[in-house]
Structure formats: C-alpha cells, structure tokens
Amino acid sequence: MGYCCKQYAEQNKKKTVTLIFKRAELIYDISNYSFVEADILPQEQEHAKHQVFDIAQDGNVDRVTRVLNLVHAECVELLYPYAKEEIPDTEEVLDDILKEPEEYKIRLSLPYTFSMTTVRMLEHFIHEFLVCRILADWMSITLPTSAGRWEAKANDLKDKIRSSLLSRTDKVKRKLKPW
C-alpha cells in the first residue's frame, strides 16, 4: 500500500467512546447547588428559599427530568459530527411520555487520532453543562435573579465543548524548506 493510501486509511479509522452520565449523580449535584443557592438567601425570603431547596422533590423532579432529557438531546446535537445516528430502517415511534432513564449516554465515533485527554475533559464539561442548564431553568422559575448566572455558566461550558472538538487531532507537518 502506498503512503497516500495508508495515510487515507489511518485518517478514516474510528474509535468508539460512550460517555455515560448517571441520573442520580446529576440530580445529586443539582440538589447540592440548589441547596447552596437557597442557603445564601436572606432569612426574609423564606418562601423563595423553600422553592429553591425543593428542586428534587416529588413533582418538581418531573420538570428537572424533562429539561434534563432536552439538554441531553442538545448535547448529542452539539456533538453531531461525532454522535450522529442513522435513522433505523424500521419505523421509529417517538412520544412525549415522561421517561426517567437511569443513565444518559452519548456514543461518540471519534477519529483514530483523537486524544483521550480531550474525551475526559469533554465528559466533565458535559456533566457540568447538564447541571448548569437544569439550574438555569429552575432558577428562572424560583429565583430569577440567579438564573442569569447559571445560564452564563452553561453558555461558557457550551463554548468549551465546541472548542475542545475543534482542537488539533492530527500530527503537525512541517515543510522541510529552510527559507
């Protein structure tokens, strides 16, 4: 095989990585941040405190689940070049029935030269993005003055996810001309 063909074959090699985000871990982090938000509120805002605290309580967690499902889908779309799925040959039925998956998975088909350190960083960025987007949504309902901070954090993480996908994955090639 010639150099050109070998180089082409190496460029088209793919590795598969599955990122798994446990629902319980996400809810735990969301609850902790929500607790801190409520705890720092002044004593005279007792009703607002109660609303912010109760993010993971019955009924409220349904809202969290719907937004979490939406944000997970947004993450998959954000990672589109590496996470795209083909539509199956059989009919796919989608409905709006509330689903509470134990795990949120993102399957990535990455170039052979993609760095594992970047994948690990993506995992952390995505986890935090999911948490911040949930908190931004919840705070927009219960504590609007705090929602902007969480939205800004989520947007910053979204930018970091995008930029980490654009980082160099190939070897640097330099011309040998000295002039």
Side-chain angles (χ1 to χ4, degrees):
M1 184 181 325
Y3 175 75
C4 178
C5 296
K6 183 178 177 184
Q7 186 179 12
Y8 178 77
E10 285 180 5
Q11 286 175 349
N12 286 330
K13 281 186 186 178
K14 302 282 183 190
K15 287 189 177 183
T16 302
V17 175
T18 303
L19 302 176
I20 299 174
F21 302 94
K22 304 275 187 189
R23 174 183 163 72
E25 294 295 318
L26 292 165
I27 300 271
Y28 178 79
D29 285 352
I30 291 164
S31 295
N32 280 343
Y33 288 135
S34 180
F35 179 86
V36 171
E37 280 283 347
D39 196 45
I40 62 174
L41 284 174
Q43 198 63 22
E44 53 274 359
Q45 289 186 314
E46 193 61 38
H47 185 68
K49 268 187 174 195
H50 163 72
Q51 294 300 323
V52 174
F53 270 129
D54 289 347
I55 191 168
Q57 299 305 311
D58 290 339
N60 295 344
V61 79
D62 293 342
R63 174 66 187 166
V64 170
T65 300
R66 287 214 185 264
V67 176
L68 192 51
N69 292 345
L70 172 66
V71 176
H72 171 259
E74 183 182 346
C75 281
V76 172
E77 190 64 21
L78 183 63
L79 300 166
Y80 171 76
Y82 305 110
K84 63 183 172 185
E85 298 176 28
E86 290 186 23
I87 297 176
D89 293 332
T90 59
E91 183 180 354
E92 184 78 15
V93 177
L94 302 173
D95 57 43
D96 65 348
I97 296 173
L98 180 64
K99 295 167 188 72
E100 292 183 6
E102 293 296 314
E103 301 174 331
Y104 291 91
K105 296 180 181 180
I106 301 176
R107 187 173 178 266
L108 302 171
S109 179
L110 300 167
Y112 189 73
T113 57
F114 204 88
S115 170
M116 190 61 191
T117 57
T118 304
V119 174
R120 286 187 192 108
M121 187 175 61
L122 270 172
E123 174 199 5
H124 295 295
F125 284 160
I126 292 169
H127 177 94
E128 283 300 307
F129 176 71
L130 293 167
V131 169
C132 289
R133 279 292 309 278
I134 300 303
L135 286 163
D137 178 75
W138 186 252
M139 295 304 159
S140 73
I141 298 167
T142 61
L143 191 62
T145 57
S146 181
R149 279 194 312 270
W150 291 105
E151 191 66 38
K153 286 181 183 198
N155 288 334
D156 182 47
L157 287 161
K158 192 176 195 177
D159 290 342
K160 287 179 180 180
I161 292 167
R162 280 191 185 121
S163 67
S164 66
L165 292 175
L166 299 174
S167 65
R168 188 177 335 152
T169 59
D170 239 355
K171 296 173 186 148
V172 176
K173 296 174 186 153
R174 295 184 183 170
K175 295 184 180 184
L176 295 175
K177 295 180 182 176
W179 55 89

